[in-house]
Amino acid sequence: MAASSAPALLSGCIGDDDGAYGPWQGPVYDRDIRLRLVGWASLAPSSCNLQPWKVMLEGDDTLHLLVDADRLHPVTDPAFRQTTISQGTFLELLSMAAAAEGYKATITLFPDGPYQTAREMATHPVATVVLERDAAVLPPGLFASVRNRRTSLQPFSPRALASAERTALLTEARSVSGVGVGYLDRGPAFERLRALALEGLRLETATGSVAQELARFIRLTPDEVARHRDGRVPLSYAMGVPIRLLYGSYAFTDPESYLLRTTMARVAGQPETASAFAWMVTAENGREDQVRVGRAYMRLDLQAAALGVGIQPLSGTLADFAEAQAARHDVQTLLAGPGQEVQMLFRLGRLDKVDRMTPRRAAADLIVSPRR
């Protein structure tokens, strides 16, 4: 999942209690349990915070999750791998929310087969979920951290993570079948990963087509945040509004501009201050593998929130655009075992301050009409 470097100059969000941040308070009560579950699941992390989810309701107990093909980023994610991982985070959080409400969620992945193109996303659901009341279902402890989870864009403090924290993080991620998890916090390989993470961030700002795509998801003004309810937003509108007035739609699009050069100088602190790097691998690279990675990452993300640990995916290093292939190959060589595919790389560390909320779409906006 992309946590792009271009918005890092503007990392976080304003934190106003307007509609864009209201979902973090939890969904309003609705007699249809599915709408409440979608409200909770919409707080999941997603690539570029685009929240590429559509939900179709069927009958009284069934929902279908589809990719919102209007919320793709095809330059940086041409194979839709990051977007598919984002479906996994949504499903895992929805499943947890169901358990917290006393429901068992039976999830069938790709009931009509996996999609391969954006056009097929409308007819090939990621999953069908059937809900059933089950008194034996226990509320998952991790779910209590959902409103505190964040994707961190700030530098971390130099304090190392404790071994108990590392164990807790890895245990949660490894609870998802088919996903392997690795961890490094010292040594030559750790330093090599730090350099590769920095290279991935540099590629996002130095590659024109990538910078232009990622710039589309930066919301600099209150109107943009209210209208889109996604993407990245400024630390303060006092910074974002003048940038938009001065640069217009060209803000953050030119790799040679002062904005992107300044951004790169700031984001260098992200990998440089990492206490540890962790990654996820799968034996294959199919759609179901990618969904499972998303589910594992969601669990690790919530465990990080429970521990007060910062976490940030470093997607540029594993991106699928041409200029990133050398870095991706180096990461693959460094971290993957025989026949394995590295799906995610992320940094972990201590937080000096609480990360801010990001905008969220309303649950009702994710609901679409049934197919005919």
Side-chain angles (χ1 to χ4, degrees), residues 15-159:
D16 296 341
D17 56 351
D18 59 19
Y21 305 104
W24 287 100
Q25 302 306 311
V28 297
Y29 178 80
D30 193 290
R31 293 183 64 182
D32 191 330
I33 178 65
R34 295 170 296 181
L35 296 181
R36 301 203 300 274
L37 300 186
V38 168
W40 285 118
S42 72
L43 299 181
S46 61
S47 184
C48 296
N49 192 33
L50 289 181
Q51 305 161 52
W53 309 305
K54 295 197 298 187
V55 175
M56 184 185 305
L57 306 181
E58 178 182 331
D60 297 324
D61 61 357
T62 301
L63 62 86
H64 307 279
L65 174 65
L66 299 100
V67 177
D68 188 338
D70 293 328
R71 292 176 170 272
L72 305 176
H73 48 111
V75 175
T76 48
D77 188 33
F80 315 124
R81 184 179 59 84
Q82 294 180 39
T83 296
T84 306
I85 290 173
S86 299
Q87 307 305 308
T89 61
F90 185 96
L91 281 172
E92 184 64 20
L93 199 47
L94 186 142
S95 178
M96 288 186 179
E101 294 260 14
Y103 284 81
K104 176 184 177 182
T106 300
I107 299 174
T108 302
L109 293 180
F110 299 102
D112 296 327
Y115 51 77
Q116 299 302 327
T117 66
R119 182 184 296 273
E120 290 179 343
M121 291 173 177
T123 57
H124 290 63
V126 174
T128 293
V129 183
V130 179
L131 301 171
E132 179 184 3
R133 266 288 185 192
D134 189 341
V137 171
L138 297 176
L142 284 180
F143 186 69
S145 298
V146 62
R147 292 197 295 172
N148 297 323
R149 64 141 308 270
R150 306 285 188 267
T151 295
S152 185
L153 298 177
Q154 63 177 287
F156 294 147
S157 76
R159 295 172 295 152

Side-chain angles (χ1 to χ4, degrees), residues 185-206:
D185 59 6
R186 63 176 65 89
F190 173 77
E191 295 303 327
R192 178 58 180 153
L193 267 185
R194 193 194 304 276
L196 287 168
L198 185 59
E199 173 64 5
L201 293 171
R202 186 195 68 79
L203 288 167
E204 289 182 331
T205 58

Side-chain angles (χ1 to χ4, degrees), residues 64-323:
H64 307 279
L65 174 65
L66 299 100
V67 177
D68 188 338
D70 293 328
R71 292 176 170 272
L72 305 176
H73 48 111
V75 175
T76 48
D77 188 33
F80 315 124
R81 184 179 59 84
Q82 294 180 39
T83 296
T84 306
I85 290 173
S86 299
Q87 307 305 308
T89 61
F90 185 96
L91 281 172
E92 184 64 20
L93 199 47
L94 186 142
S95 178
M96 288 186 179
E101 294 260 14
Y103 284 81
K104 176 184 177 182
T106 300
I107 299 174
T108 302
L109 293 180
F110 299 102
D112 296 327
Y115 51 77
Q116 299 302 327
T117 66
R119 182 184 296 273
E120 290 179 343
M121 291 173 177
T123 57
H124 290 63
V126 174
T128 293
V129 183
V130 179
L131 301 171
E132 179 184 3
R133 266 288 185 192
D134 189 341
V137 171
L138 297 176
L142 284 180
F143 186 69
S145 298
V146 62
R147 292 197 295 172
N148 297 323
R149 64 141 308 270
R150 306 285 188 267
T151 295
S152 185
L153 298 177
Q154 63 177 287
F156 294 147
S157 76
R159 295 172 295 152
L161 300 184
S163 60
E165 292 172 321
R166 177 187 64 194
T167 299
L169 290 165
L170 297 182
T171 298
E172 282 303 330
R174 289 169 176 163
S175 67
V176 177
S177 176
V179 179
V181 185
Y183 182 97
L184 277 173
D185 59 6
R186 63 176 65 89
F190 173 77
E191 295 303 327
R192 178 58 180 153
L193 267 185
R194 193 194 304 276
L196 287 168
L198 185 59
E199 173 64 5
L201 293 171
R202 186 195 68 79
L203 288 167
E204 289 182 331
T205 58
T207 307
S209 59
V210 172
Q212 289 162 20
E213 179 175 78
L214 296 179
R216 292 172 40 219
F217 313 135
I218 303 176
R219 317 305 182 201
L220 295 177
T221 70
D223 175 68
E224 292 173 10
V225 172
R227 185 156 28 97
H228 295 283
R229 298 179 65 149
D230 64 5
R232 296 292 178 187
V233 296
L235 286 170
S236 74
Y237 291 130
M239 179 186 297
V241 172
I243 289 175
R244 185 63 79 204
L245 288 173
L246 183 61
Y247 291 91
S249 61
Y250 294 99
F252 297 101
T253 61
D254 181 2
E256 300 302 319
S257 70
Y258 170 79
L259 277 179
L260 278 187
R261 286 188 284 109
T262 303
T263 294
M264 188 56 215
R266 290 176 63 92
V267 300
Q270 294 175 353
E272 287 175 358
T273 61
S275 299
F277 293 102
W279 61 94
M280 294 183 176
V281 298
T282 54
E284 298 182 20
N285 191 26
R287 296 297 184 208
E288 291 196 13
D289 301 292
Q290 294 160 5
V291 169
R292 282 193 289 268
V293 167
R295 298 192 69 169
Y297 181 78
M298 186 73 258
R299 300 189 69 84
L300 190 149
D301 178 286
L302 290 173
Q303 183 64 75
L307 295 170
V309 170
I311 185 170
Q312 179 196 18
L314 298 165
S315 302
T317 309
L318 293 172
D320 293 316
F321 59 91
E323 291 83 353

